[in-house]
Amino acid sequence: NKTSMQQDKTNSSSATLIGAGTTLKGDISSNSDLRIDGTVIGNITSTAKIIIGNSGTVEGDITGNQADIVGKVSGNIRAKELLQLRGESAVTGNLYAGKLQIEPTATFNGQCHMGANIVE
């Protein structure tokens, strides 16, 4: 998969990957970039960037500095800086973001709260 290879090169070497076909039940906490291509049932917290890939599914809340969603999320998403809903992403839950970018192909159902101090 070309896109995931390019993604890995741009991220720091300390990025954590949960690959497609992997299901994880439990909460994740990280200080580095996270990329989810599998399924996570639990909450995800990172002080860096969280990427939910095309085949990624999350059932739980996501809290990060930045979030890039291309897959499916059922839960609230909090991004201190930029939250991106891209491609065929499907989000059911509330959004809390400093800045928000939604592509026309993305689906989002829930409330949206924006501003510099809304996530604190």
Side-chain angles (χ1 to χ4, degrees):
N1 188 341
K2 255 188 194 167
T3 52
S4 63
M5 288 299 289
Q6 288 168 338
Q7 205 72 47
D8 291 342
K9 282 180 191 157
T10 55
N11 289 349
S12 62
S13 58
S14 61
T16 303
L17 171 68
I18 294 171
T22 301
T23 300
L24 182 85
K25 292 182 182 178
D27 296 348
I28 301 173
S29 182
S30 174
N31 291 330
S32 63
D33 289 357
L34 284 169
R35 183 179 172 97
I36 315 287
D37 286 320
T39 301
V40 174
I41 300 166
N43 300 327
I44 300 172
T45 307
S46 173
T47 55
K49 186 173 187 180
I50 301 170
I51 301 165
I52 312 299
N54 198 23
S55 58
T57 303
V58 176
E59 293 177 29
D61 294 346
I62 295 174
T63 306
N65 200 36
Q66 292 183 321
D68 200 346
I69 315 293
V70 194
K72 292 179 172 50
V73 177
S74 297
N76 298 332
I77 303 174
R78 293 174 185 272
K80 273 194 180 125
E81 290 175 15
L82 176 64
L83 169 57
Q84 292 177 294
L85 305 185
R86 306 192 321 167
E88 299 292 314
S89 64
V91 176
T92 305
N94 297 334
L95 305 181
Y96 303 86
K99 293 180 181 157
L100 178 64
Q101 180 180 2
I102 303 180
E103 290 185 358
T105 49
T107 308
F108 156 60
N109 287 300
Q111 291 181 331
C112 181
H113 305 271
M114 285 180 66
N117 57 357
I118 201 85
V119 183
E120 299 304 320

